[in-house]
Amino acid sequence: MILLFVLGLLIQLLCLRPCLSQFPRPCANTEALRTKQCCPVWEGDGSACGAMSGRGFCEDVTVSDEPNGPQYPHSGIDDRERWPLAFYNRTCRCAGNYGGFDCGECKFGYFGNVCAEQRQSVRRNIISLSVSEQQRFISYLNLAKNTVAADYVIVTGTRAEMGANGENPMFADVSVYDLFVWMHYYVSRDALLGGPGNVWQDIDFAHESAAFLPWHRVYLLHWEHEIRKITGDFNFTIPYWDWRDETECTVCTDNLMGGRNPRNPNLISPASVFSSWKVICTQPEEYNNRATLCPGTGEGPLLRNHGNHNRTRTSRLPTSADVESVVGIQTYETGTMDRRANMSFRNALEGFANPETGMAVTGQSTMHNALHVFMNGTMSSVQGSANDPIFLLHHAFIDSIFEQWLRRHTPPRSLYPEANAPIGHNDGHYMVPFLPLYRNGDYFLGNQVLGYEYSYLLDPGTRFVQEFLNPYLQEARLIWQWLLAAGLIGATLGGIVMTTLFLFIRRRSQNRKRKSSSSYGERQPLLHSSSEEGSGTSYQTTL
C-alpha cells in the first residue's frame, strides 16, 4: 500500500510539471509585421526555429496558385486570401517529427524531447466515462476558459488598419478556450469589402466545401494539444457524443454539459459551471455594420434551448441508418464542390444534402448541421458556435464518421480537389488561421497516423486494452525509472523481511529442540512393526 501511494504521488507530481509558454505571441508586433517574418527563436538553443539543433529553418512561404471556384469573385480584399501572405511570407518549416510555430514542439501523435515516441490516444464516448473522468473534462474546459493563452493572441483589426509597416499592431490577449472560439469565427466570417455593411457572405474557409473535414480535424488536434499543455495531462483526449438515434440532448445535464435553466429555457442551469460563461464573437451583423472584426470580449451568457428549434428545417436528429447511408457515398467531393454538390460525401455529412439520397437540399439541415440547429442557441450560429462546449463533443463524433469513410473507401490523395474548389479549400491551400501552417490535403488521411483513435471503432479486445489499460500503461511509461527503482527497493526489502523471518523461525525451532533434549534425554527413532501399522500409531502419523 505504501508503495502504491508513493507511485501515485510521483504520477501526480509528473503531471503537474509546468507547461511551455491565432497569431504566435512572438510575431504579434511591429517588427514582425514590417518584415513579414514569423520565425521565433526556440528557447532550447537560442536560434530561430531551432535551426542550430536541426529542428527547423526559417523559409519563404510558397502558396498554391491553383485556381479557385467562382463563389468568391474578389482578389486582394480579404486578409485570409492566400493565407498567410497578408501577414507573413516567411515562417518556420519544421524537420522530421518536430512541430509548433518555433519547431519547439512535436507533430501530432509524437512525444518526447526529440519527438521520437509515438502514442495512440483514444477518444471515448463521454457517456461511458466515469464520473471522475467526466468531472475532470469539465474542469479542464473551465480552466481553459479562465486561463490566458500563453503562446497565442488574436487579431482585432485588418492588416490594412495596422499600417503599411505595422506601426499600429492590433492584437489582444484571450483565454485558451476563447482562442479557439475566435479561430472558428475568423475562418467563417464574412469578407469586409469596405464601408459599413458592405460585405461578401459567400465565403468560408472551413465550411461548405472540401476543407470542412480536414480543417476541423486539425482544429480538434490543436485544441487537444493546448489543453494538454495547460493541464500537464498529456493523456487527455476530447470525448465524443454519439448522437445517433437520439431524441433529446442526453449530455445536457448538470453533471455534463449543463442542464436547462428552470427559470429561463434559453439559459444554462445555474448548477452548471457553464452558466457563468460569457460568449464571444456572436454578433456578426454588428461587426459587419461597423466594418470591424470581433474584439474577443464578452457579449453575454451562453444560450441553448435544445429541442425547441425549427422542426421544418430539422425534423429529427440523425439516425444510425443516416450515418450508414452517408458513409456509403463513394465520392468525396463533386460538381461545384459547395453546398449544392450532389452525391458528395462531404456535403452529405456536413448536412446540405439528404442523407438517404445524397442529393443537395435547400431549406433543410441534416447530419452535422442538424445538431447545430437542434441546440437552438449559440450553437446555431456558425461564427459563434464554438462557444458551446457541446461543439467539441459533436465535432469529435463528426470526425469519427469521416474516419469510418476513410477506412471503408481508402481514397488516394488525388481524390481531394487540387483546383477549382471555393477559396481556401484546394489541396495546396494553407488552413486559415493556423500558424504553424497546415495544408488541407496533408490531413486527408486516417487518424491513426495522427496519433489518436476512437473507442467505438476498435475491435473488442483492442478496445479494452486501449480504453482501460493504456492510460495506466502510458503513465507507467512516463515514470518507468521510478517504477524500476521502486521494484528493486521493494524486492530488496522483501528479501530482508523473508530472510529475517526464516532466521527467526530457525532459531525458535533450534531452541525447542534443545529444550526437548534436555528434558527427556536422547530419543531413538521408533521401528516400524506390523502391530504399529495396524494400530495406526507410528512416529510419522503422530508427528
Side-chain angles (χ1 to χ4, degrees):
M1 292 299 294
I2 295 176
L3 180 60
L4 291 175
F5 173 77
V6 173
L7 291 177
L9 182 60
L10 288 171
I11 291 173
Q12 293 181 42
L13 289 174
L14 286 171
C15 288
L16 289 174
R17 62 183 180 271
C19 60
L20 306 173
S21 178
Q22 130 101 84
F23 284 71
R25 191 176 290 276
C27 303
N29 52 61
T30 296
E31 179 63 17
L33 292 172
R34 182 185 64 80
T35 61
K36 302 194 74 172
Q37 179 169 297
C38 182
C39 294
V41 170
W42 177 52
E43 295 180 355
D45 64 8
S47 66
C49 310
M52 291 179 61
S53 301
R55 298 179 75 99
F57 303 93
C58 186
E59 296 185 357
D60 292 341
V61 176
T62 302
V63 176
S64 172
D65 288 324
E66 293 293 337
N68 302 316
Q71 293 83 358
Y72 179 74
H74 306 283
S75 179
I77 298 295
D78 194 289
D79 291 340
R80 298 167 297 177
E81 299 175 26
R82 297 172 58 81
W83 180 262
L85 296 186
F87 294 95
Y88 313 108
N89 56 26
R90 285 177 64 81
T91 63
C92 289
R93 182 180 180 86
C94 302
N97 299 326
Y98 298 114
F101 58 76
D102 60 356
C103 300
E105 298 178 346
C106 300
K107 289 168 60 177
F108 299 129
Y110 288 88
F111 299 83
N113 293 331
V114 294
C115 303
E117 179 187 352
Q118 285 185 282
R119 197 185 308 166
Q120 285 288 326
S121 302
V122 179
R123 291 179 181 171
R124 299 161 57 194
N125 190 332
I126 190 169
I127 302 298
S128 69
L129 299 181
S130 67
V131 173
S132 61
E133 289 171 328
Q134 293 172 347
Q135 292 175 344
R136 184 185 303 121
F137 172 60
I138 294 170
S139 69
Y140 285 0
L141 294 178
N142 206 40
L143 176 65
K145 184 70 173 179
N146 293 282
T147 301
V148 174
D151 294 332
Y152 294 96
V153 293
I154 63 171
V155 63
T156 58
T158 65
R159 180 61 185 87
E161 290 177 312
M162 298 187 197
N165 293 313
E167 58 270 17
N168 181 36
M170 300 175 69
F171 300 96
D173 287 335
V174 71
S175 74
V176 172
Y177 191 98
D178 287 347
L179 168 68
F180 288 91
V181 176
W182 177 87
M183 289 171 65
H184 197 263
Y185 148 78
Y186 190 79
V187 75
S188 60
R189 68 174 177 83
D190 300 333
L192 304 177
L193 302 181
N198 186 20
V199 300
W200 186 267
Q201 295 183 328
D202 194 6
I203 182 172
D204 193 314
F205 292 79
H207 302 85
E208 301 185 25
S209 193
F212 169 67
L213 294 166
W215 189 94
H216 284 85
R217 173 158 285 191
V218 170
Y219 179 88
L220 293 179
L221 284 166
H222 207 306
W223 197 95
E224 213 165 49
H225 180 66
E226 291 301 309
I227 293 296
R228 289 171 177 173
K229 286 164 59 178
I230 66 170
T231 63
D233 182 357
F234 288 89
N235 293 318
F236 167 76
T237 55
I238 299 171
Y240 62 87
W241 173 32
D242 185 348
W243 34 248
R244 289 174 295 184
D245 305 309
E246 293 280 18
T247 58
E248 58 184 18
C249 181
T250 53
V251 297
C252 295
T253 65
D254 288 340
N255 292 331
L256 290 175
M257 313 316 292
R260 199 190 304 271
N261 189 314
R263 296 185 178 180
N264 186 338
N266 294 311
L267 300 178
I268 307 297
S269 166
S272 168
V273 296
F274 305 121
S275 65
S276 62
W277 281 21
K278 299 298 181 183
V279 298
I280 67 169
C281 302
T282 60
Q283 301 172 359
E285 294 81 7
E286 181 178 341
Y287 313 142
N288 290 345
N289 290 334
R290 291 187 295 150
T292 186
L293 300 182
C294 164
T297 54
E299 297 173 344
L302 180 64
L303 302 178
R304 192 194 300 154
N305 191 353
H306 49 279
N308 295 323
H309 60 286
N310 184 345
R311 298 280 176 168
T312 302
R313 187 171 189 85
T314 297
S315 60
R316 57 174 173 77
L317 292 178
T319 65
S320 298
D322 291 335
V323 172
E324 181 59 29
S325 295
V326 170
V327 173
I329 299 175
Q330 294 186 355
T331 306
Y332 182 74
E333 199 61 90
T334 63
T336 54
M337 295 181 281
D338 55 18
R339 65 167 64 195
R340 296 168 294 175
N342 294 319
M343 298 307 297
S344 156
F345 164 72
R346 186 278 315 163
N347 202 39
L349 180 55
E350 190 169 359
F352 294 109
N354 185 313
E356 297 177 352
T357 66
M359 303 301 289
V361 293
T362 57
Q364 295 183 29
S365 296
T366 66
M367 299 304 291
H368 155 266
N369 291 345
L371 259 290
H372 284 274
V373 173
F374 177 83
M375 289 302 156
N376 193 30
T378 305
M379 269 274 280
S380 299
S381 172
V382 176
Q383 296 180 24
S385 58
N387 280 287
D388 194 325
I390 290 179
F391 178 97
L392 294 168
L393 308 180
H394 173 42
H395 273 275
F397 193 62
I398 290 294
D399 185 72
S400 77
I401 298 174
F402 177 35
E403 184 63 25
Q404 289 186 56
W405 184 83
L406 288 169
R407 296 184 187 185
R408 179 176 301 186
H409 301 283
T410 59
R413 180 165 176 170
S414 59
L415 199 62
Y416 189 94
E418 294 184 3
N420 300 314
I423 186 170
H425 288 263
N426 286 341
D427 180 297
H429 287 158
Y430 289 115
M431 298 178 182
V432 177
F434 290 108
L435 287 166
L437 301 174
Y438 306 102
R439 290 187 190 274
N440 293 324
D442 290 340
Y443 292 87
F444 187 66
L445 78 172
N447 58 23
Q448 293 173 326
V449 179
L450 301 173
Y452 71 102
E453 179 60 282
Y454 287 98
S455 59
Y456 81 100
L457 297 181
L458 295 168
D459 62 78
T462 306
R463 184 182 308 162
F464 174 78
V465 173
Q466 293 278 6
E467 194 164 342
F468 298 104
L469 297 186
N470 257 11
Y472 303 102
L473 295 176
Q474 289 171 4
E475 293 288 1
R477 187 182 297 115
L478 291 173
I479 61 169
W480 68 269
Q481 299 98 331
W482 296 97
L483 290 174
L484 178 60
L488 292 174
I489 294 172
T492 302
L493 292 176
I496 294 173
V497 171
M498 293 300 294
T499 301
T500 304
L501 182 61
F502 172 77
L503 293 175
F504 173 76
I505 294 174
R506 183 177 179 182
R507 174 68 64 85
R508 187 174 181 182
S509 176
Q510 290 174 346
N511 289 339
R512 286 180 175 177
K513 288 183 179 180
R514 283 195 293 268
K515 184 176 181 180
S516 175
S517 175
S518 63
S519 301
Y520 299 104
E522 186 176 356
R523 299 183 64 182
Q524 299 295 328
L526 299 177
L527 299 177
H528 291 286
S529 66
S530 59
S531 60
E532 289 174 341
E533 291 174 359
S535 64
T537 56
S538 68
Y539 173 77
Q540 289 87 348
T541 56
T542 303
L543 180 63

